[in-house]
C-alpha cells in the first residue's frame, strides 16, 4: 500500500545556497542544503536544485519555492533573478513539476519570508503585516487583511526601492535616494568608513567590516558606530513612516541578521516613526525583529504551496 505523503517541501534558493526541508506546518521533518553554483549558470544551478530536493519528494505532496527576483507566481516563472547567472524567463514550476510529478509553486523569496513570519513568527495572529529584510539589498513584503499582496505585476512591497530623499545618492537600481541606498549592507559599511577616515574608532581593527560588527561596536559604546546606526535608523524610520501611512499595518517586522542588533537599530527607527508617521498618537505600531531566522523562507514557501493548492489538508 502506498505510504501517505506527509509534508510539503519548502525551498529557499539564494545566490550562495539552496536550503530545503520537508515540513508539516511549522514542523521541520527533514532538512537538506547544497550550494547554488550560481556562477556556473542556469543548467548547473537547476541540477543543484533537483539534486537537493529529489530525496525529499517521496514523502511530499507539493513543493513551494522562494527565490530572489521578479517572479510570475501564477505561471511559476522566474522572469529574472539578480543573484543567479543566466536566469531569465525560466519556467521553474513547469520544469520541477515534470521532474518530480508534484505540484510546484514559486514566489519571491521575501514574500516567502513574509508569509512564514506572518503565520509562525513575529506576525502571528495579525491581519496586516509589513516585513522588510536587511541584507545586501533591502526587500519587502506585505500581508494585507490576511492575504499576501502581490500587486498587479508581482512587485508589491518593494520597500528598498521607495524614495526617502529626492536628491539622495544613486541606488543600485539606478534611481536616487532609495531606502536600500541607506540601509543595504555595503552602504552601512561605507557610512562607517567615511566616519572612520576622520575619527578614531574601535572598528579600525577590522579588515572586513560588516553591519553586524558595527552593531557590536555600537553596543560597546563606540561613538562612530553609534552614529552610523542612529543615521541608518533614521532613514529606515522615514521609510517605515511612509509604509504606515500607506498600509496601516499591525506590525512592521525587520528581518535579516542585522535585525537582531536590538535597541541600537530599533530605537532610532521607532523615534523617527513616532515623530513622522501620520496620526502616530492614534496608532499602536509594533516594530519588531523577525523570529524564525533562516527558516522563515522555507516555512513560508511551503505555506504558500499549501495555501495555493485547493482542497489539500496538511
Ligand atoms: Zn533602488
Amino acid at each position: 500500500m502506498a505510504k501517505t505523503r506527509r509534508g510539503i517541501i519548502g525551498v529557499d534558493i539564494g545566490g550562495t545556497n539552496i536550503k530545503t526541508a520537508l515540513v508539516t506546518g511549522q514542523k521541520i521533518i527533514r532538512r537538506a542544503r547544497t550550494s547554488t553554483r550560481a556562477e556556473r549558470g542556469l543548467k548547473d544551478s537547476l541540477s543543484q536544485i533537483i539534486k537537493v530536493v529529489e530525496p525529499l519528494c517521496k514523502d511530499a505532496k507539493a513543493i513551494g519555492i522562494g527565490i530572489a527576483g521578479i517572479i510570475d507566481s501564477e505561471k511559476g516563472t522566474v522572469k529574472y533573478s539578480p543573484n543567479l547567472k543566466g536566469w531569465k524567463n525560466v519556467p521553474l514550476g513547469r520544469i520541477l513539476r515534470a521532474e518530480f510529478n508534484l505540484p510546484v509553486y514559486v514566489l519571491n523569496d521575501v514574500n516567502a519570508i513574509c508569509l512564514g513570519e506572518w503565520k509562525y513568527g513575529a506576525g502571528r495572529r495579525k491581519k496586516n503585516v509589513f516585513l522588510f529584510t536587511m541584507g545586501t539589498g533591502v526587500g519587502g513584503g506585505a500581508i494585507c487583511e490576511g492575504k499576501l499582496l502581490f500587486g498587479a505585476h508581482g512587485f508589491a512591497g518593494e520597500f528598498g526601492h521607495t524614495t526617502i530623499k529626492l536628491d539622495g545618492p544613486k541606488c543600485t537600481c539606478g534611481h536616487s535616494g532609495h531606502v536600500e541606498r541607506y540601509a543595504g549592507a555595503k552602504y552601512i559599511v561605507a557610512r562607517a568608513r567615511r566616519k572612520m577616515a576622520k575619527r578614531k574608532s574601535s572598528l579600525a581593527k577590522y579588515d572586513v567590516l560588516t553591519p553586524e560588527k558595527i552593531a557590536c561596536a555600537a553596543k560597546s559604546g563606540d561613538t562612530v558606530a553609534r552614529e552610523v546606526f542612529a543615521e541608518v535608523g533614521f532613514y529606515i524610520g522615514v521609510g517605515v513612516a511612509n509604509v504606515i501611512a500607506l498600509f496601516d499595518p499591525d506590525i512592521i517586522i525587520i528581518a535579516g541578521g542585522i535585525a537582531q542588533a536590538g535597541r541600537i537599530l530599533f530605537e532610532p527607527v521607532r523615534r523617527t516613526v513616532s515623530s513622522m508617521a501620520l496620526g502616530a498618537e492614534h496608532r499602536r505600531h509594533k516594530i519588531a525583529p523577525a523570529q524564525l531566522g533562516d527558516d522563515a523562507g522555507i516555512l513560508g514557501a511551503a505555506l504558500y504551496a499549501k495555501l495555493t493548492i485547493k482542497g489539500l489538508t496538511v
Side-chain angles (χ1 to χ4, degrees):
M1 203 173 77
K3 236 172 79 183
T4 321
R5 294 188 170 220
R6 293 185 297 159
I8 293 181
I9 298 171
V11 189
D12 179 358
I13 302 173
T16 314
N17 290 306
I18 303 161
K19 288 172 279 182
T20 182
L22 182 71
V23 308
T24 54
Q26 194 183 353
K27 195 170 154 227
I28 295 199
I29 301 169
R30 207 156 73 239
R31 288 176 192 276
R33 71 186 289 160
T34 189
S35 66
T36 311
R37 293 194 181 166
E39 72 290 346
R40 297 205 195 175
L42 175 64
K43 223 175 131 203
D44 269 48
S45 32
L46 263 180
S47 71
Q48 288 294 93
I49 296 168
I50 291 169
K51 202 173 76 185
V52 74
V53 169
E54 210 270 323
L56 303 175
C57 279
K58 65 179 191 310
D59 293 324
K61 43 194 163 190
I63 301 172
I65 298 177
I67 181 166
I70 300 171
I71 315 300
D72 181 339
S73 286
E74 262 175 43
K75 294 195 178 119
T77 299
V78 179
K79 290 184 166 178
Y80 162 77
S81 189
N83 309 323
L84 304 174
K85 199 177 144 195
W87 282 64
K88 226 175 162 194
N89 293 317
V90 178
L92 183 63
R94 209 178 65 208
I95 294 168
L96 297 185
R97 234 179 340 263
E99 184 72 32
F100 299 129
N101 196 26
L102 286 173
V104 180
Y105 302 91
V106 187
L107 81 168
N108 170 275
D109 60 341
V110 180
N111 280 342
I113 292 169
C114 188
L115 272 178
E117 286 289 339
W118 165 61
K119 189 76 178 176
Y120 310 115
R124 276 191 316 276
R125 292 185 289 279
K126 303 270 196 287
K127 268 166 75 178
N128 294 286
V129 171
F130 194 88
L131 172 142
F132 65 93
T133 53
M134 287 178 70
T136 312
V138 175
I143 304 283
C144 293
E145 308 297 339
K147 275 185 123 175
L148 182 65
L149 187 70
F150 283 99
H153 310 92
F155 296 173
E158 281 291 352
F159 178 67
H161 301 284
T162 56
T163 307
I164 48 169
K165 200 165 187 287
L166 263 185
D167 57 351
K170 222 174 202 187
C171 178
T172 32
C173 71
H175 298 288
S176 295
H178 285 177
V179 172
E180 182 167 303
R181 185 57 182 74
Y182 299 92
K186 71 174 173 186
Y187 299 113
I188 296 177
V189 168
R191 183 174 293 275
R193 292 248 182 247
R194 281 199 301 276
K195 291 181 191 294
M196 287 159 66
K198 296 181 202 144
R199 286 154 55 196
K200 268 196 164 169
S201 164
S202 64
L203 294 169
K205 64 178 182 241
Y206 297 115
D207 288 334
V208 180
L209 212 51
T210 62
E212 283 77 9
K213 284 175 187 162
I214 302 169
C216 265
K219 281 183 201 165
S220 320
D222 187 280
T223 52
V224 163
R226 291 186 90 97
E227 249 179 55
V228 168
F229 270 89
E231 291 167 12
V232 169
F234 165 76
Y235 286 116
I236 292 171
V238 175
V240 170
N242 289 337
V243 165
I244 286 171
L246 283 171
F247 293 104
D248 190 20
D250 297 295
I251 184 168
I252 287 128
I253 303 170
I254 310 182
I258 199 62
Q260 303 307 316
R263 285 172 52 197
I264 289 294
L265 172 70
F266 283 81
E267 239 175 44
V269 175
R270 290 188 182 119
R271 199 168 45 238
T272 310
V273 168
S274 15
S275 73
M276 292 186 78
L278 176 73
E281 68 276 24
H282 303 295
R283 316 197 211 201
R284 240 184 241 158
H285 292 294
K286 223 180 144 198
I287 303 171
Q291 292 176 354
L292 302 176
D294 269 359
D295 287 342
I298 292 172
L299 293 173
L303 176 67
Y304 178 61
K306 175 182 166 180
L307 295 175
T308 316
I309 310 169
K310 287 208 170 98
L312 183 72
T313 49
V314 180

